Structures are given as structure tokens and as C-alpha cells.
Amino acid sequence: MEASVEQLVFVRDDAYTVARMSGDGQPGFVAAGRALGGVQPGETVRLLGAWEEHPRHGRRFAVTGCERVTPSTVRAIQLYLGSGLIRGIGPRLAQAIVGHFGEQSLTVIDAEPGRLREVINIGPVRQAQIVEAWREQKAVAELMVVLQGFGVSPLLAAKIYQVFGAESGEVLAKDPYQLIDRVRGIAFATADRIALRSGVPESSPQRIQAALLDRLDAAASGGGHCFLSPTALVTQTIDLIEQDEDLIRQGLDALTAERRVVREADAVYPKELHSRELRLTTELARLARARSTLTLRSYQEDESLDDDQRAAVTMALTSTLSILTGGPGCGKSHTIKALAATVRAMGGAVTLCAPTGKAAKRLSELAGLPAMTIHRVLSHEPDPDALFDETPVRADLVVVDEVSMLDLGLATRLAAALPSGTHLLLVGDSDQLPSVGPGSVLADLLAVESIPRVRLTRVFRQAEGSAIIKAAHRIRAGDLPALPGGGGFWFEELDDPEAIANRVVHLATVAIPRKQQITPAQVQVLSPMRKGTTGTAELGRRLQEVRNPAADDKPEHWSGATLFRVGDRVMPIRNNYDKGVFNGETGTLTRLVPEERQADVQIDDGDLVTYTFDELDDLTHAYAISVHRAQGSEYPFVVAPMVAESGGIMLRRRLLYTLVTRARSWVVLVGQRNALDLAVHRLGHRRNTTLTARLQAAGL
């Protein structure tokens, strides 16, 4: 039957879609199926399928085939034009166009676009905008059909078209592997499916080289590794594409000859990571050996510091490269405050910074001094044609907090920007999670014995009574916290993942706010994983429906499998120097304008930022976030599920330790006792890096 899409109800990553429809004598019905993937409100489609009685959702049309067709009735045309699909046309202008051209409206836009100026409020600029958007929409729809033919989610069509435009079809047919590097969200598996269905031989050098690069990328993005051994790389590639070992080694030789990878001893590096590791070694050695720009004078020691803290201050004043570590409640921030005051009293300049906005804000509050993100310290967008920035950062002392979050790329940019003679103090908790990006900078530097360091171990009196800090120190030692807990730490045991998810949502939105007389916004849900019943995606969806439910006065827009609604709490997941927003900041979606295909986000403690609909995959909901994304942040109350689904692959001691220490007043863990036990006793893997060995070879 033929029907119009009225509203999207649900969209999954694999393109499974549930939509409200109307047409063919059906005043309103629900249709569902993967074949609906990519449809948008306002479109007219021809559906193939059968009616079914769903045990939970009732009667609906199970779709097995879906074909887009040109709307033919006046109502369908007006719905289509007013849906926001065509940039520049909103509901009022759609009504004016249809009122003037009737059933010929789409024919006019397609074949006689100059006639659009017959409609009031359409001038040359608006006409050109409408025509361009119309052609783009048609091209994306055609691309969706092609992708469905390859067995690939049609939700990727808009992203591919955004990068390749009119050449998209040719790229899919001739060189789909270039999608991997250039289109966000497309990995080897998707490109390989397209390639094989396009006739690319399974043993082609193109495919083998793409598979080798994919394994290196997976090692970096999934495991934080800077390299793989040749044996591991070849073995993993054989597992991926099931090709002969000799062919794969030939592919590796070709990549090495083309300098797309670098082989060194028993290691294979992506070219970029190899360059960064070499550069970071050079810059750190330069900083460590430089003559200090700081004029040391006698100073009044802070009487509130203990012996270790005084030693840390002295170390930072006399060493141009040093490290301060310690767990929660051990006085790192107070030490930084005393150090900064001392340097300023000597007439020196101090810069305090951290990898994320939340971490910088927290450092500023605790130290009582201004602090910035490292990105803002570096102050401008990096040259896309250069691996490193060399913009000087003018300060006698630079203190970087939350260094466990510092990946190889950001560490290299920062070190390269510091003039020789600047004192660099790196501060962090070595028991927290390592960086999201590749590298293990803090651990690697701590392994270089010649680099001065102080570890603070005393828990100060104001922190001694905290159940959170007690639990954190037990976890760090490999012991289970006292259960069920109390006074700030609590474990509630449940077994069923569905019940756990429901309980997490209830605690975060009803129980804790009511008991503590706070708002739900003061409770942050964290999860060790993204997928599954208790992952960030599903918990975020449930929390959104409770904290920001649908309403007639709240515009919505589906971007892929994510529903954005005015009032949503969101988080940028990528740095955007043009917009001045950085990964890990949070904000509120304040405006959605379908006809302009734009959304406005008010960044907390920042500017109002506009995103086009094509840029919305730079955002994620902030209702439930991963523990990695919570690093550097602190929340009054934290609720988190503990589930050993899929073997609890993400459950590690450092993850649990990091999770627990994100809470200021209370942390409530809900879930399986065996999952908690697994997290406490399972150690993480050692990342493949050679920074330590390089620094030692450089004489440090």
C-alpha cells in the first residue's frame, strides 16, 4: 500500500524503524521493519508487508519492502514540503507553494524551478536554496536504495553524500574502501560488504591492505595501542578476512613501502602515531633539559601542607618536568593552589589547564584560580596539514591536571607549544582509566625513573569520613568495598538487566531527587558500556522520556538512530575549533528549526552554538554517559548499573575506580554481585607503546 510517514517513533542503529503512517484508507497506523530505514516524516512510500499482532505493541504493519514515491495528493505534497526535508521550506511556505501550484508543486520545483518566484516570499536566494536542497534530497534517497541493495544501513546515505556529493555512486562502485577514512561511522566491515557485492575479489591487494589498516585502527581506537607486533597484526587480519598468510604479509610489505605504516623492530605503527611518539619524546627531552626561566627566591612555606606536599612544591619549582600523583582526598588540588601562589609571589606566570572543560572547571574551583582546557591554551585550530602545533604558550609554570586522560596526540601538541625553560607539572591519578585516545602517557612517564615525581598517599581529615573515598581506596587495592555500604556509597543487588535498567532510571529521576530534595539534573547516570539493556544508549533513551518527554511545543528531529528534542541535555563528542566546543563539554538543546535544518545548543558556561542537521552526529545525549566520557568531571550524585552482560568485557578495576570517584556526595551501584566482583579483581591490559623506551634512549 501507499502511505505517508507522519512521525518516527523509534530508530535503531541497524535501521530498524517504527513509524506512524497514514494513507490507502488507513487513517493512522504503525509500520515497523528494517526496510523502513532512512524514511523521514513527510515522505510518501509504497510498502510491502503484512499485518501482524505484536504481543506488546498491538496491531501494526510488518514491512518487508519500502519504495519511496513522489507524493501525489495535495495533502501529501504539503506534508512533504512542510516537514523540513527541503531546506528553506517550512509549514507556512509549503502551504503557500501548494496553494499556488496544487498537485503540480513538486513538478514545478523539479522541472521549472524559476516559477517558484511566483510565490510570495520566494526570491532568487530562497529559490536557489530550495532547488539545491531538493536535488540533494533526491540524491540521498537514491543512495539509500543503492545501500539497501548492498545490505548496508541506509542511515549512512546522508553522511556519504555529505562527503562525496554527486560522486557518491562512483565511489561505492569503484573504491568503497576509501569510505573508511573519510565517512564517520563507516568501518571496514561496511566498506567490505559493499566492495564484495560490487565484485572486488576477496584476495585483492586493495582489500587486504584495507583490512591491515583496519586492525591497526581497531587496536588504537579500541585498545589504545600505538602499535601491533607483525605476528599479531597478520593473525588478526587472517581472522578478519580469512585470506592466505603470504598474501597478507605481501600487503603489509606494500603498506610499509608506501610509508602508510612504519615498521620498527618488532612493531608496526600507523604512520601518524609513530610520528607523534617520536615528536613527544623529542619535546619532553627538550623541556626536561632546559634551563629554567623561573627566578627562584626564598618563599614562605604554606603551613597547611604536609611533608609530601611541600616536597611536591619544591620539586615543581626546581624541575622543568615533574609529576604529581595521588588518589582522591590526598590533597593534589591544595598542593597545586599553594604552588601557583608561590610562583606568582615570585613574579612568575602560571597556567592551569586540563584535557576537558569539566576537568578545567573543577580544577579552577578547587585551586581558586582560573583554569582552561588544553585546547583553549593552544588557542587555535591546528593546521590540518601539520601533525603538530608549535604555538608558544607563555608561562613560567604550566600545570596539567587529570593527566591520565591525556592521549598521545594532545600530549604532543601541548609539549611542542611550550618554550624551553617552562616548568611543566603533570598531575593525575595513575589508578584511573587511561585516555580514550591511543597512548599511555602518564604511565609511560612514571616508568622513566629519572623524571622527578611525588606521590601523595595521606588521606586528609576532611576526606577520611567519606564512604566514597574509602570505597575507592579499597577498589584500588583490589578489595571489595563494604557492602551494601552507607554514608555515600551504596550497592543494591539485582540480577535481571531489565530490572536493573528500570531501577537505575527510577533512582536517578524519582527516588534520589525526592529523598535528597534535589532535581534530577543533579544526578548523573554512568554506564561501563554503550550497548545493551543497561548501556548508555538505552538508558539515555529511557531517561530522555522521563526528564524531557515529547510535547506539542517541543520540536524533534531524528538524526540516524538518535532523537533530538528541544530541552535535551547533550554533549559534544568531537572537538570543533570553528564552533569553540570540545569533547566532553555539556549543554542544552534550546532550538530546533526543521526548515533551516539547524539546532542551537547552549553550552554550559559557554556560548550558544549552532549545528546543522548534518552535524548532529557530533552530539550525543548526556542523560547517561560512559565512564570514559565522565573522566575529569565530578557530579553530586552518580547512579550506575553493574551487569556482566557479554562477559562484562568493559568491567575493569580502573573503570570501577574511576566511576566511583566521579561522585561527590553519593554513588549508587545497581546490579549483579558477580559483576562488581569481576570489576574489582580484573586488571586492564598494558597498552602497546614505546614512549618509555624512547625517553630512556634519549637520556632521561
Side-chain angles (χ1 to χ4, degrees), residues 368-409:
L369 292 167
M372 297 179 285
T373 63
I374 296 173
H375 300 95
R376 294 194 191 279
V377 169
L378 296 173
S379 78
H380 75 291
E381 182 176 6
D383 181 349
D385 297 321
L387 282 175
F388 313 106
D389 254 308
E390 297 189 13
T391 306
V393 175
R394 303 297 181 188
D396 297 291
L397 170 68
V398 174
V399 180
V400 186
D401 198 14
E402 298 287 355
V403 179
S404 62
M405 302 172 65
L406 201 59
D407 66 17
L408 185 61

Side-chain angles (χ1 to χ4, degrees), residues 34 155 279 466 511:
R34 286 189 63 189
L155 300 181
R279 183 64 181 273
S466 168

Side-chain angles (χ1 to χ4, degrees), residues 562-583:
T562 303
L563 173 63
F564 289 103
R565 180 180 292 142
V566 168
D568 277 341
R569 293 289 295 163
V570 294
M571 171 184 286
I573 56 175
R574 294 176 188 88
N575 299 329
N576 189 312
Y577 295 88
D578 289 335
K579 298 183 188 298
V581 296
F582 301 102
N583 185 358

Side-chain angles (χ1 to χ4, degrees), residues 50 113 490:
W490 187 262

Side-chain angles (χ1 to χ4, degrees), residues 536-676:
T536 57
E538 178 59 26
L539 287 175
R541 192 176 290 122
R542 297 184 187 205
L543 288 162
Q544 180 192 37
E545 289 307 308
V546 176
R547 288 183 52 183
N548 189 31
D552 291 339
D553 61 345
K554 293 180 185 177
E556 300 177 348
H557 176 72
W558 282 90
S559 175
T562 303
L563 173 63
F564 289 103
R565 180 180 292 142
V566 168
D568 277 341
R569 293 289 295 163
V570 294
M571 171 184 286
I573 56 175
R574 294 176 188 88
N575 299 329
N576 189 312
Y577 295 88
D578 289 335
K579 298 183 188 298
V581 296
F582 301 102
N583 185 358
E585 294 181 325
T586 51
T588 301
L589 201 159
T590 58
R591 182 171 170 263
L592 267 172
V593 187
E595 58 263 38
E596 296 177 14
R597 298 187 66 77
Q598 290 182 342
D600 289 344
V601 175
Q602 179 64 58
I603 300 295
D604 298 345
D605 304 316
D607 298 328
L608 185 69
V609 180
T610 298
Y611 287 84
T612 67
F613 281 3
D614 291 336
E615 296 173 320
L616 286 178
D617 60 350
D618 282 355
L619 297 175
T620 187
H621 286 136
Y623 297 114
I625 61 177
S626 69
V627 181
H628 259 115
R629 293 201 185 283
Q631 274 187 277
S633 299
E634 189 177 69
Y635 310 96
F637 299 87
V638 168
V639 182
M642 286 282 114
V643 180
E645 284 183 307
S646 304
I649 192 168
M650 296 299 295
L651 295 176
R652 297 286 191 277
R653 184 181 298 171
R654 285 187 174 186
L655 182 139
L656 181 60
Y657 175 84
T658 304
L659 188 163
V660 168
T661 54
R662 296 313 90 204
R664 188 163 57 244
S665 298
W666 271 91
V667 58
V668 181
L669 306 179
V670 182
Q672 301 159 350
R673 172 68 178 263
N674 67 315
L676 182 64

Side-chain angles (χ1 to χ4, degrees), residues 334-346:
H334 187 61
T335 305
I336 294 171
K337 183 177 182 179
L339 170 64
T342 301
V343 172
R344 295 175 80 182
M346 293 177 176

